[in-house]
Amino acid sequence: MFNPDRLRGQIENYGGFAFANKYLVMLTDLPTGLSATEAKLLQYTCENTSLPTRSIQASEKLIYGTSYQMPYKHAYGEISMTFYLTENMQSKSFFDRWLDKIVDPNTGDIGYYEDYTCNITVGMYARSDDSPFGNTPKYEVQLESAWPSIVAEVAMSHAAGGEIAKLPITFQYKKWKVTQGP
């Protein structure tokens, strides 16, 4: 028979349910020419993100009889983040300059991978933490060699009223690893 108190007790043994509104995004080891001060602003203005995806790719194997899927490598997906914009459009300018480092807008030359990638840390914090600043995350991952692949459009509308403008960004990265967790 289902007992809610028993379920609650079991969940509490693991610290309770995790809540998705306590997180922090930090960009480190920035490409040359990008400001750490501007990157710090992104910590405060990241409206949403997610913990990254990792999947196992498989191919069909048939030795005899029924075929089956056999794993052959892991793959890392892209990650999306949305940032609130300030009136001086500092974050938009930051990402525009970053894209210019990846592909020169005048010549079309591609930059060196090491010159346009950085690390991005995404940490999830306890519900009881007042602020992520000064607290240790319960779970944290680092995206290695990340770079923005899409700096999406900023939607504008007369009907938006007092809505804050947002900048959606999609990042590619080499891989991710857990840097803090149980």
Side-chain angles (χ1 to χ4, degrees), residues 44-100:
Y44 299 105
T45 60
C46 184
E47 178 201 26
N48 65 54
T49 189
S50 58
L51 291 172
T53 300
R54 186 174 81 171
S55 62
I56 305 295
Q57 297 191 345
S59 64
E60 189 171 359
K61 289 288 187 186
L62 176 62
I63 297 174
Y64 179 79
T66 305
S67 65
Y68 59 95
Q69 294 291 312
M70 180 72 149
Y72 67 92
K73 74 174 187 175
H74 57 254
Y76 298 95
E78 58 192 27
I79 190 169
S80 296
M81 298 180 186
T82 302
F83 297 93
Y84 292 120
L85 288 171
T86 57
E87 199 164 294
N88 67 4
M89 302 295 279
Q90 198 67 41
S91 298
K92 176 73 168 105
S93 175
F94 175 87
F95 284 109
D96 289 342
R97 289 191 320 273
W98 196 347
L99 289 180
D100 290 349

Side-chain angles (χ1 to χ4, degrees), residues 1-12 17:
M1 182 163 115
F2 177 75
N3 182 330
D5 292 329
R6 185 173 170 199
L7 172 62
R8 186 174 329 160
Q10 288 297 316
I11 298 300
E12 290 301 321
F17 286 108

